Amino acid sequence: YMKTNYCEKIGYTIAVLGTATILIWIGLFKFTETEAKAIENLVANHPMMNIFYSFFSIQETSIIIGIMEIITALGLILSFWSKKAGVIAGTLTTLTFLTTLSFLYTTPNTWKFVDDFFVTNFFILKDLPIFGIGLIVLGKSLNKSKNSNRRGVY
């Protein structure tokens, strides 16, 4: 029989490394013209992100977002050894995926009926569990920080 703690550790590791893999992969893809054009409508219609296009080109904006995604992914990986990295990466992951989930409300024509079934852009909807993973990493890191500070170790 597997112990629950072992399953939780394996599950946590898979979830964090899986999220980091997704962020690195998508982050690197943001350096391409194809992805820059693909996110243009999302960014342009977002009230807090469209300001980027006032200062940067479509491609430059995509690259900036990609860099942030890669930094977040590296922070998630480092969170296994550094509580501080976990707090930062957990916060960045939470903010990143909260922002992408908000595209469901800020982007026109995101919700529609297909074959009498109400659907959305499912590539965004998958961000809901990843948003949760960000909160788990943040909470776990904050909890470890509090516990280690009580012992005088960080």
Side-chain angles (χ1 to χ4, degrees), residues 1 47 53 92 103 123 153:
Y1 296 99
Y53 291 147
L92 289 174
F103 291 146
F123 79 95
V153 179

Short mmCIF file of all heavy atoms in Angstrom, two decimals, residues 1 47 53 92 103 123 153:
data_model
loop_
_atom_site.label_atom_id
_atom_site.label_comp_id
_atom_site.label_asym_id
_atom_site.label_seq_id
_atom_site.Cartn_x
_atom_site.Cartn_y
_atom_site.Cartn_z
N TYR A 1 0.83 -1.19 0.00
CA TYR A 1 0.00 0.00 0.00
C TYR A 1 0.87 1.25 0.00
O TYR A 1 1.84 1.32 0.75
CB TYR A 1 -0.91 0.03 1.23
CG TYR A 1 -1.89 -1.10 1.26
CD1 TYR A 1 -1.67 -2.24 2.03
CD2 TYR A 1 -3.05 -1.02 0.52
CE1 TYR A 1 -2.57 -3.28 2.06
CE2 TYR A 1 -3.97 -2.05 0.54
CZ TYR A 1 -3.72 -3.18 1.31
OH TYR A 1 -4.62 -4.19 1.32
N PRO A 47 -8.26 44.97 -20.32
CA PRO A 47 -8.08 46.34 -19.82
C PRO A 47 -6.77 46.60 -19.09
O PRO A 47 -6.31 47.75 -19.04
CB PRO A 47 -9.27 46.54 -18.87
CG PRO A 47 -9.77 45.18 -18.55
CD PRO A 47 -9.40 44.30 -19.71
N TYR A 53 0.69 47.48 -25.72
CA TYR A 53 0.76 47.84 -27.14
C TYR A 53 0.99 49.33 -27.36
O TYR A 53 1.30 49.75 -28.46
CB TYR A 53 -0.48 47.35 -27.89
CG TYR A 53 -0.56 45.84 -28.02
CD1 TYR A 53 -1.78 45.19 -28.01
CD2 TYR A 53 0.59 45.06 -28.15
CE1 TYR A 53 -1.85 43.81 -28.15
CE2 TYR A 53 0.53 43.68 -28.28
CZ TYR A 53 -0.70 43.07 -28.27
OH TYR A 53 -0.77 41.70 -28.40
N LEU A 92 3.50 34.53 -8.83
CA LEU A 92 3.52 34.77 -10.28
C LEU A 92 2.61 33.80 -11.04
O LEU A 92 1.90 34.20 -11.97
CB LEU A 92 4.96 34.68 -10.83
CG LEU A 92 5.90 35.82 -10.45
CD1 LEU A 92 7.32 35.52 -10.93
CD2 LEU A 92 5.41 37.15 -11.00
N PHE A 103 -9.33 36.40 -19.46
CA PHE A 103 -9.58 36.52 -20.91
C PHE A 103 -10.95 35.96 -21.28
O PHE A 103 -11.54 36.36 -22.27
CB PHE A 103 -8.51 35.78 -21.71
CG PHE A 103 -7.14 36.39 -21.67
CD1 PHE A 103 -6.02 35.59 -21.71
CD2 PHE A 103 -6.96 37.77 -21.62
CE1 PHE A 103 -4.74 36.13 -21.69
CE2 PHE A 103 -5.69 38.32 -21.60
CZ PHE A 103 -4.58 37.51 -21.63
N PHE A 123 -8.78 26.20 -24.47
CA PHE A 123 -7.35 26.36 -24.18
C PHE A 123 -7.15 27.31 -23.00
O PHE A 123 -6.15 27.22 -22.30
CB PHE A 123 -6.58 26.83 -25.41
CG PHE A 123 -6.70 28.30 -25.69
CD1 PHE A 123 -5.77 29.19 -25.23
CD2 PHE A 123 -7.78 28.79 -26.43
CE1 PHE A 123 -5.88 30.56 -25.49
CE2 PHE A 123 -7.90 30.14 -26.69
CZ PHE A 123 -6.95 31.02 -26.23
N VAL A 153 15.46 28.86 11.03
CA VAL A 153 16.10 28.41 9.80
C VAL A 153 15.27 28.90 8.64
O VAL A 153 14.07 28.81 8.62
CB VAL A 153 16.17 26.86 9.78
CG1 VAL A 153 16.82 26.38 8.50
CG2 VAL A 153 16.91 26.34 10.99
#
